[in-house]
């Protein structure tokens, strides 16, 4: 089976230093969504948290050598399987971040929590919902 995806937009940020994970990021930027998807943004408002699925477009090409990796920046720990890491070097270079919507202007969402580079292709947006009974997003 072949899966083909087209970006729905891209990330715009002036930040040069990007945190390694959205959960520690205070970086602000914009999610610029293609005009063709304007109606798909209906209901997204400032104050919302949204899930951003994106493509690690500057990541190294995956090979079997990357099936086990050290957690980023920590070679003192034991290697772990790629599916147990947030590494950008993956069989399918898909990333996931949860960001806070600060402002919505047309098809541009100003957000906080960016851990993506300027120009990163956005594959999809989803609402950030709580898991029933968990109390956590």
């Amino acid at each position: 089976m072949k899966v083909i995806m087209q970006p729905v937009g891209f990330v715009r940020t002036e930040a040069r230093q990007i945190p390694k994970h959205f959960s520690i990021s205070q970086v602000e930027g914009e999610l610029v969504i293609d005009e063709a998807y304007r109606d798909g943004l209906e209901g997204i408002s400032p104050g919302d948290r949204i899930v951003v699925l994106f493509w690690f477009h500057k990541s190294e090409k995956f090979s079997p050598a990357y099936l086990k990796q050290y957690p980023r920046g920590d070679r003192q720990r034991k290697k772990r399987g790629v599916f147990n890491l947030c590494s950008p070097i993956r069989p399918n270079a898909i990333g996931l971040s949860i960001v806070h919507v600060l402002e919505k202007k047309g098809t541009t969402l100003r957000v906080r929590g960016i851990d993506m580079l300027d120009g990163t292709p956005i594959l999809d947006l989803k609402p950030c919902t709580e898991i029933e009974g968990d109390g956590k997003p």
Side-chain angles (χ1 to χ4, degrees):
M1 172 190 328
K2 188 172 191 168
V3 177
I4 299 172
M5 288 186 263
Q6 294 295 316
V8 298
F10 64 93
V11 174
R12 186 181 311 156
T13 182
E14 295 178 7
R16 298 293 171 234
Q17 297 268 330
I18 303 295
K20 294 180 182 178
H21 197 264
F22 69 86
S23 64
I24 59 169
S25 177
Q26 292 299 311
V27 174
E28 293 184 12
E30 297 175 333
L31 307 180
V32 181
I33 305 304
D34 190 288
E35 185 65 35
Y37 301 107
R38 175 183 284 275
D39 288 347
L41 296 172
E42 183 68 34
I44 296 176
S45 303
D48 289 349
R49 290 189 308 164
I50 57 173
V51 176
V52 182
L53 297 171
F54 61 92
W55 192 259
F56 285 111
H57 68 299
K58 295 202 175 185
S59 174
E60 291 180 45
K61 184 171 172 49
F62 185 81
S63 73
Y66 291 109
L67 282 170
K68 285 190 173 183
Q69 303 175 35
Y70 289 104
R72 285 202 285 181
D74 190 357
R75 293 201 173 264
Q76 302 301 321
R77 295 171 67 186
K78 189 173 151 183
K79 281 187 172 183
R80 298 194 322 218
V82 68
F83 301 128
N84 192 28
L85 294 168
C86 292
S87 170
I89 308 170
R90 322 185 62 74
N92 292 305
I94 298 170
L96 179 151
S97 295
I98 298 173
V99 298
H100 297 264
V101 178
L102 302 174
E103 182 180 17
K104 179 180 170 185
K105 283 188 179 175
T107 60
T108 299
L109 302 174
R110 180 131 188 94
V111 299
R112 182 184 321 110
I114 286 186
D115 63 345
M116 300 158 271
L117 301 173
D118 186 61
T120 296
I122 298 170
L123 301 175
D124 203 354
L125 301 176
K126 296 180 178 285
C128 182
T129 56
E130 293 183 13
I131 298 171
E132 191 172 323
D134 186 8
K136 299 180 198 172

